[in-house]
Amino acid sequence: MMMFTQVQGLPVITADEAEPLGRVESLTIDAHTSGIACLRLSGAPRHITAIAWHAVEAVGRDAVIVRSRAAADPGQDSLPAHQEALGRRVLTEHGAAHGTVRDIAFDNTTGHIHTLYTALGDISGDRLLGIGSYAVVVRAEAS
């Protein structure tokens, strides 16, 4: 498991060419799969602003490794729009507030979202319903 805040700022390097591609600026979540869809980069060549998760070979404490420059090159049109989750308020589908997202734990192999850490407690990634410009929406706990 890794945390979003641990990955932000890490260099992104190709495995085949050992070429630096930039640094991780943020991670885009696909709420439908409760997984990471792509990495958003800063300091990258102009045509590579995001890298699909399936191109990621490894995520470690010191760097993110992608298979090759070719694997990292766009198909940007197929990537989802980015909505920042960190710092966003959390609401249930019924509108009940659940604090703000402080960090997110994910499986650094599969990209599956494990836990959203909020100001008011932890939320399983399996409860994630959507991320918008106003809030992260989660399924209410069964009572």
Side-chain angles (χ1 to χ4, degrees):
M1 283 306 151
M2 287 197 73
M3 307 296 279
F4 270 37
T5 56
Q6 291 175 308
V7 176
Q8 288 178 320
L10 287 180
V12 178
I13 302 167
T14 63
D16 289 351
E17 303 91 1
E19 179 183 354
L21 294 177
R23 294 191 170 274
V24 177
E25 183 175 319
S26 60
L27 302 170
T28 299
I29 297 172
D30 181 345
H32 299 301
T33 64
S34 295
I36 298 172
C38 63
L39 309 172
R40 301 287 173 177
L41 303 182
S42 63
R46 183 170 258 174
H47 66 286
I48 301 177
T49 57
I51 298 173
W53 182 259
H54 63 79
V56 174
E57 184 127 335
V59 178
R61 301 270 180 223
D62 299 320
V64 175
I65 308 298
V66 295
R67 290 182 188 88
S68 67
R69 184 174 182 81
D73 276 340
Q76 309 287 351
D77 296 337
S78 63
L79 298 176
H82 179 71
Q83 294 290 342
E84 188 60 53
L86 295 180
R88 187 85 62 210
R89 73 182 310 166
V90 179
L91 299 173
T92 68
E93 76 269 38
H94 305 298
H98 201 289
T100 58
V101 177
R102 291 188 172 174
D103 214 339
I104 300 171
F106 69 99
D107 183 308
N108 58 331
T109 303
T110 65
H112 181 73
I113 302 300
H114 186 266
T115 307
L116 286 83
Y117 296 99
T118 76
L120 298 177
D122 303 348
I123 300 171
S124 169
D126 295 332
R127 290 177 48 202
L128 182 63
L129 293 175
I131 301 173
S133 60
Y134 181 72
V136 173
V137 180
V138 296
R139 192 173 298 105
E141 287 186 286
S143 38

